[in-house]
Amino acid sequence: MNGHEYDLATAVRPTGDHTYAADLHDGWDIGGVPNGGYLLTVAGRALAQSVERPDPLTVTCHYLAPARSGPIELTTELVRAGRRHATAMATVRQDGNEVARVIGTFGDLQQQRDGRHLATLKPPEIPPPDECVHVTPIPDHPQSPPPITEKVSLRIAPEDLGFALGTPHGRAEIKGWAEFADGRDADTSALPLFADAFPPTVFNAGFPIGWMPTIELTVHVRKRPARGLLLCEFRTNLVSNGYMEVDGVIFDATGEVAAMSRQLAATPRGQT
């Protein structure tokens, strides 16, 4: 294992038959609660070890209770293993309480099995990274970006930063560039983290700036990302009865889709 913060903060340790231990590190949180994509990534690494397949083709996490920084225990269960795929479940507990349930199907994206290809999604047209706004925490500021932005470097398209200035543009969307702040290259294990690292889309539609509890997050990983910045686009199409969805697409440095995501969350709790 190398010394990159992500690898240290998502490391899992086998402790027995189908059981693992991990530590949720400080600084990967939003308002003191570990980021949902971060928690999913830790569980995904335990599942990948348990099924001995490197790439999470699809992972889904249902969040049952807020976690906190500190030790967690993970119990995995193999559902089915075939030649190409293996599916398994993980139960995540902290202090004896279940905080999340994860199911994932894993494989090896390096093995090319079919040369056919169809792609209609195109990267959004936004300014280059050095012309976008670098998001960084502001000490002692009540609406400072969360600590995770010190770990995951975000550069948001200027047109999508109006919510932070009190001038949201009215569209529930946000776009920008992302990478690890310490220079680590993104891999398939990390894509669920990037799928949940950006500010909520509905801030740009004039919703209150506040905590948006995630109920469920699903990420489909489509390729091993090329080295370089990720270009991310997130959009909400429906807010109803106190809940909202967020659809995301992550493009790698070649402009190809690396991952797609959908999240169900409660509408933001906070003040305008």
Side-chain angles (χ1 to χ4, degrees), residues 47-59 77-89 103-108:
L47 286 171
Q49 283 194 29
S50 71
V51 299
E52 299 181 338
R53 309 288 176 101
D55 300 310
L57 306 181
T58 174
V59 285
E77 175 188 348
L78 178 66
V79 178
R80 183 182 184 277
R83 289 185 302 166
R84 295 180 60 183
H85 312 133
T87 300
M89 297 179 61
I103 186 167
T105 296
F106 294 75
D108 188 343

Side-chain angles (χ1 to χ4, degrees), residues 187-198:
D187 58 17
T188 56
S189 77
L191 290 173
L193 172 65
F194 286 99
D196 194 37
F198 277 74

Side-chain angles (χ1 to χ4, degrees), residues 200-202 212 236 238-240 242-246 263-268:
T201 52
V202 293
M212 193 183 83
T236 290
L238 178 65
V239 180
S240 178
Y243 300 96
M244 54 177 283
E245 48 72 34
V246 182
Q263 178 177 160
L264 178 69
T267 49

Side-chain angles (χ1 to χ4, degrees), residues 60-65 99-103 214-218:
T60 297
C61 184
H62 286 260
Y63 301 89
L64 307 178
V99 296
R101 184 74 63 92
V102 179
I103 186 167
T214 301
I215 297 168
E216 178 265 347
L217 173 62
T218 294

Side-chain angles (χ1 to χ4, degrees), residues 23-37:
D23 295 299
L24 299 179
H25 288 213
D26 290 327
W28 298 81
D29 62 280
I30 298 175
V33 178
N35 171 266

Side-chain angles (χ1 to χ4, degrees), residues 66-73 92-99:
R68 57 171 177 77
S69 298
I72 58 172
E73 303 85 38
V92 184
R93 292 186 175 87
Q94 190 169 58
D95 298 329
N97 300 313
E98 187 173 357
V99 296

Side-chain angles (χ1 to χ4, degrees), residues 117-131:
H117 185 73
L118 171 67
T120 60
L121 291 170
K122 303 297 182 184
E125 295 184 2
I126 69 171
D130 58 359
E131 295 179 17

